[in-house]
């Protein structure tokens, strides 16, 4: 028997586009949507009335933090202080170690996945910092995270992150990358092993993908081997690239071409590629400040970009023009990349930054951002059944309450949510027809325990920076408070 969910506002889908319905419902049976509309009189097994809420497709986060937040520490530093957030040359050569035990690492993952559920994310692709690991992510760690993800009911696109190099601060104070090619080969082997593991699980909520780290931390052979594996296995690849000037300078110095051309040369620039950020292309003012063909090259390749507006803004950069990327025909999806995993705040940041950059209020493309968080993510994943509420689509849906006086007035519910709300207003999350969160509660999860445990894990992570810093500065010096703290 079906389940019926009613709400004041429903973001449905009609003739290839999202449409808004008032006082409407969504009906689903098993993992499939049966009906979206105003009147449904057939008998149902369960009915939920959400009242003053916006019911919409589940949010797709393709650069989702599955770690303890580090942006709260490292998004404030000047150049000298920032060097203390990287590995030193000595640490790379002689002292690298895991900050967390294997059990603690699984706790970090569970804490982060709980946050995704609470913020209305239904489908995710993970990102975690490798700074705190002895190298990258072993196979066993992702097996454990897959088990946790299945228990919580999220839809996951998983694989162990791998790399053959690490960003370091050299003894002379310069930034560079130091390599261990053998570790890169081992990492790729683990990634391929996980693809097989995901296939063996035969669970639609666990999908194997290739997640190499950053383009400058992969040697040329590992890039080519990743491309070959992607082709052979028809596997998606997400590779952080086109995201900074240091990356661009290193790639030009080593390979004689810009990062986008290198992606093409090694065989990665195609419809299976997802590129987080993609902010430093030719039109960026810090590069050439004009379009010399990069947008067309990205569009023609079929690759998707993962725009992370809130995190980019906090690190002092942004997509040069959301409109230009969109009009070029590039598929844009969204990611959070850091804490909070709040795509509502992220979309708001992107919309307002677009206005500033264009010098015009109508540059704030609210529909474009909601499309990116739903349809764009679905396209990047090659899943036309996701990201939309229409009959035949997979029953992934999320609802955000708009019934509190602090939410303000309703003119258009999407603008109200974007301007006045956050993803903390999520009151219902359903993945493949299974309800995984209601009214901020997750069955079987003690949120107070995880709040306390997350803080403990964060303190462990914060203390560990000292050992990696080239000058071994204490954490309180590396991360000074906003105001001096007065002791008792």
């Amino acid at each position: 028997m079906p389940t019926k969910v009613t709400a004041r506002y429903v973001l449905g889908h009609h003739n290839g586009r999202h449409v808004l319905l008032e006082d409407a419902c969504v009906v689903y049976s098993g993992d499939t949507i049966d009906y979206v509309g105003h009147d449904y009189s057939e008998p149902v097994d369960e009915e939920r009335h959400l009242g003053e809420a916006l019911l919409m497709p589940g949010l797709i986060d393709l650069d989702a933090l599955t770690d303890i937040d580090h942006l709260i520490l490292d998004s404030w530093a000047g150049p000298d202080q920032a060097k203390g957030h990287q590995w030193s040359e000595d640490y790379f050569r002689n002292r690298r170690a895991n900050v967390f035990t294997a059990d603690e690492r699984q706790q970090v993952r569970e804490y982060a996945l709980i946050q995704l559920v609470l913020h209305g994310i239904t489908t995710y692709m993970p990102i975690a910092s490798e700074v705190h690991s002895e190298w990258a992510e072993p196979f066993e760690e992702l097996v454990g995270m897959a088990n946790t993800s299945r228990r919580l009911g999220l839809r996951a696109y998983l694989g162990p992150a791998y790399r053959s190099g690490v960003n370091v601060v050299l003894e002379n104070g310069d930034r560079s990358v130091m390599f261990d090619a053998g570790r890169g080969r081992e990492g790729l082997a683990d990634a391929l092993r996980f693809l097989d593991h995901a296939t063996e699980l035969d669970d639609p909520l666990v999908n194997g993908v290739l997640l190499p780290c950053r383009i400058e931390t992969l040697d040329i052979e590992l890039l080519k081997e990743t491309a070959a594996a992607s082709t052979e296995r028809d596997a998606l690849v997400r590779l952080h690239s086109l995201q900074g000037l240091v990356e661009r300078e290193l790639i030009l110095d080593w390979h004689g071409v810009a990062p986008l051309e290198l992606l093409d040369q090694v065989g990665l620039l195609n419809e299976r590629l997802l590129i987080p950020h993609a902010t430093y292309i030719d039109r960026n003012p810090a590069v050439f400040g004009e379009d010399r063909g990069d947008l067309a090259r990205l569009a023609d390749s079929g690759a998707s970009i993962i725009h992370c507006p809130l995190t980019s803004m906090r690190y002092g950069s942004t997509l040069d023009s959301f409109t230009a990327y969109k009009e070029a025909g590039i598929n844009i999806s969204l990611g959070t990349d850091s804490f909070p995993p709040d795509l509502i705040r992220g979309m708001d940041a992107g919309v307002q930054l677009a206005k500033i950059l264009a010098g015009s209020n109508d540059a704030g493309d609210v529909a474009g951002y909601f499309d990116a968080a739903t349809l764009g993510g679905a396209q990047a994943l090659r899943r036309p059944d996701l990201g939309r509420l229409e009959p035949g689509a997979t029953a992934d849906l999320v609802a955000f309450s708009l019934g509190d006086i602090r939410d303000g007035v309703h003119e258009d519910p999407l603008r109200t949510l974007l301007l006045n709300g956050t993803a903390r207003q999520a009151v219902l999350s359903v993945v493949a027809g299974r309800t995984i969160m209601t009214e901020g509660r997750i069955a079987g999860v003690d949120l107070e325990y995880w709040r306390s445990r997350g803080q403990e894990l964060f303190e462990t992570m914060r203390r560990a920076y000292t050992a990696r810093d080239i000058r071994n500065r204490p954490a309180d010096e590396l991360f000074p408070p906003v105001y001096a703290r007065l002791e008792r």
Side-chain angles (χ1 to χ4, degrees):
M1 294 283 284
T3 298
K4 178 181 178 181
V5 183
T6 63
R8 170 72 185 280
Y9 306 105
V10 173
L11 189 65
H13 201 76
H14 181 67
N15 291 336
R17 298 176 62 86
H18 287 326
V19 292
L20 187 65
L21 297 80
E22 289 199 41
D23 298 317
C25 67
V26 175
V27 180
Y28 57 91
S29 302
D31 64 357
T32 304
I33 295 173
D34 300 324
Y35 176 86
V36 179
H38 296 96
D39 302 301
Y40 187 85
S41 57
E42 298 298 318
V44 296
D45 186 53
E46 181 180 2
E47 189 164 357
R48 293 178 180 271
H49 299 281
L50 301 178
E52 294 287 320
L54 169 64
L55 181 62
M56 61 178 290
L59 297 177
I60 299 174
D61 185 347
L62 297 184
D63 208 30
L65 183 72
T66 53
D67 204 344
I68 298 295
D69 181 29
H70 63 83
L71 180 146
I72 198 171
L73 296 172
D74 63 21
S75 60
W76 314 97
D80 180 65
Q81 210 168 0
K83 291 177 181 178
H85 305 160
Q86 301 288 331
W87 287 15
S88 67
E89 184 175 353
D90 175 61
Y91 187 83
F92 174 91
R93 293 186 185 282
N94 304 309
R95 297 185 293 111
R96 59 185 190 239
N98 290 315
V99 171
F100 298 111
T101 67
D103 286 345
E104 287 173 331
R105 195 65 182 156
Q106 290 303 320
Q107 291 181 318
V108 166
R109 300 294 198 177
E110 185 159 358
Y111 172 84
L113 294 180
I114 288 168
Q115 296 283 1
L116 297 185
V117 175
L118 293 173
H119 285 82
I121 304 300
T122 56
T123 295
Y124 74 98
M125 193 177 283
I127 178 69
S129 174
E130 299 85 16
V131 168
H132 316 296
S133 300
E134 183 270 336
W135 192 257
E137 295 176 352
F139 168 81
E140 293 77 13
E141 184 173 322
L142 269 293
V143 169
M145 185 164 75
N147 292 338
T148 301
S149 185
R150 296 172 76 194
R151 171 162 48 84
L152 292 172
L154 286 161
R155 185 183 308 282
Y157 285 78
L158 301 178
Y162 58 94
R163 59 183 178 177
S164 53
V166 180
N167 284 282
V168 299
V169 177
L170 302 176
E171 297 297 340
N172 64 6
D174 291 342
R175 289 275 302 275
S176 188
V177 178
M178 299 184 71
F179 287 92
D180 183 338
R183 296 303 298 267
R185 306 286 95 67
E186 292 171 7
L188 177 58
D190 267 3
L192 298 177
R193 185 181 170 198
F194 188 86
L195 292 182
D196 294 334
H197 175 73
T199 300
E200 290 164 3
L201 285 178
D202 193 26
D203 184 342
L205 295 185
V206 178
N207 306 272
V209 291
L210 296 172
L211 301 178
C213 295
R214 302 163 61 112
I215 188 172
E216 76 274 18
T217 64
L218 277 72
D219 62 68
I220 191 72
E221 292 306 318
L222 191 55
L223 286 167
K224 291 178 178 178
E225 290 170 20
T226 297
S230 171
T231 299
E232 180 181 350
R233 307 251 188 151
D234 192 30
L236 296 175
V237 179
R238 190 194 63 198
L239 177 60
H240 285 69
S241 48
L242 316 178
Q243 66 173 335
L245 290 177
V246 171
E247 168 210 297
R248 183 179 178 86
E249 291 164 2
L250 290 171
I251 297 299
L252 282 167
D253 185 45
W254 296 337
H255 305 292
V257 295
L260 184 58
E261 185 173 349
L262 182 64
L263 289 171
D264 201 3
Q265 286 185 1
V266 298
L268 282 169
L269 190 61
N270 55 51
E271 72 284 353
R272 293 185 300 277
L273 181 65
L274 289 71
I275 307 175
H277 308 303
T279 47
Y280 284 83
I281 61 172
D282 52 18
R283 62 172 291 124
N284 188 296
V287 181
F288 298 122
E290 63 181 16
D291 186 353
R292 299 186 178 183
D294 283 356
L295 285 178
R297 192 170 197 170
L298 277 169
D300 291 345
S301 73
S304 296
I305 71 166
I306 307 172
H307 181 28
C308 305
L310 187 60
T311 294
S312 293
M313 180 179 73
R314 288 175 166 179
Y315 283 115
S317 69
T318 188
L319 204 64
D320 181 63
S321 171
F322 183 89
T323 299
Y325 281 68
K326 181 179 171 182
E327 290 181 347
I330 297 167
N331 181 52
I332 306 173
S333 58
L334 291 188
T336 50
D337 192 37
S338 63
F339 193 86
D342 189 329
L343 282 177
I344 305 304
R345 290 180 68 184
M347 288 189 279
D348 183 29
V351 165
Q352 310 316 325
L353 285 167
K355 295 179 186 179
I356 295 169
L357 289 168
S360 174
N361 279 349
D362 63 2
D365 185 359
V366 176
Y369 271 89
F370 273 95
D371 284 352
T374 53
L375 301 170
Q379 182 175 330
L381 297 174
R382 303 184 294 182
R383 290 291 301 269
D385 60 314
L386 300 180
R388 67 199 67 208
L389 300 184
E390 66 179 355
T394 295
D396 286 11
L397 45 144
V398 63
F400 297 96
S401 172
L402 295 174
D404 193 296
I405 189 172
R406 290 166 292 188
D407 298 326
V409 298
H410 301 183
E411 183 274 324
D412 182 293
L414 291 109
R415 290 197 190 104
T416 296
L417 179 60
L418 197 79
L419 291 170
N420 302 345
T422 77
R424 292 187 183 188
Q425 291 162 228
V427 291
L428 176 70
S429 187
V430 175
V431 179
R434 172 188 168 188
T435 300
I436 66 171
M437 184 273 290
T438 55
E439 298 292 344
R441 297 186 297 273
I442 305 170
V445 174
D446 183 342
L447 295 182
E448 182 55 31
Y449 165 80
W450 283 108
R451 186 200 65 78
S452 176
R453 185 58 181 141
Q455 187 66 38
E456 293 170 353
L457 293 165
F458 171 77
E459 297 296 344
T460 298
M461 181 188 78
R462 183 177 182 272
R463 289 191 298 269
Y465 277 88
T466 298
R468 297 189 297 265
D469 177 27
I470 191 170
R471 288 158 48 191
N472 297 121
R473 286 168 285 187
D476 286 347
E477 184 178 340
L478 285 170
F479 312 113
V482 176
Y483 293 111
R485 291 179 178 168
L486 186 64
E487 301 298 330
R488 290 178 66 93

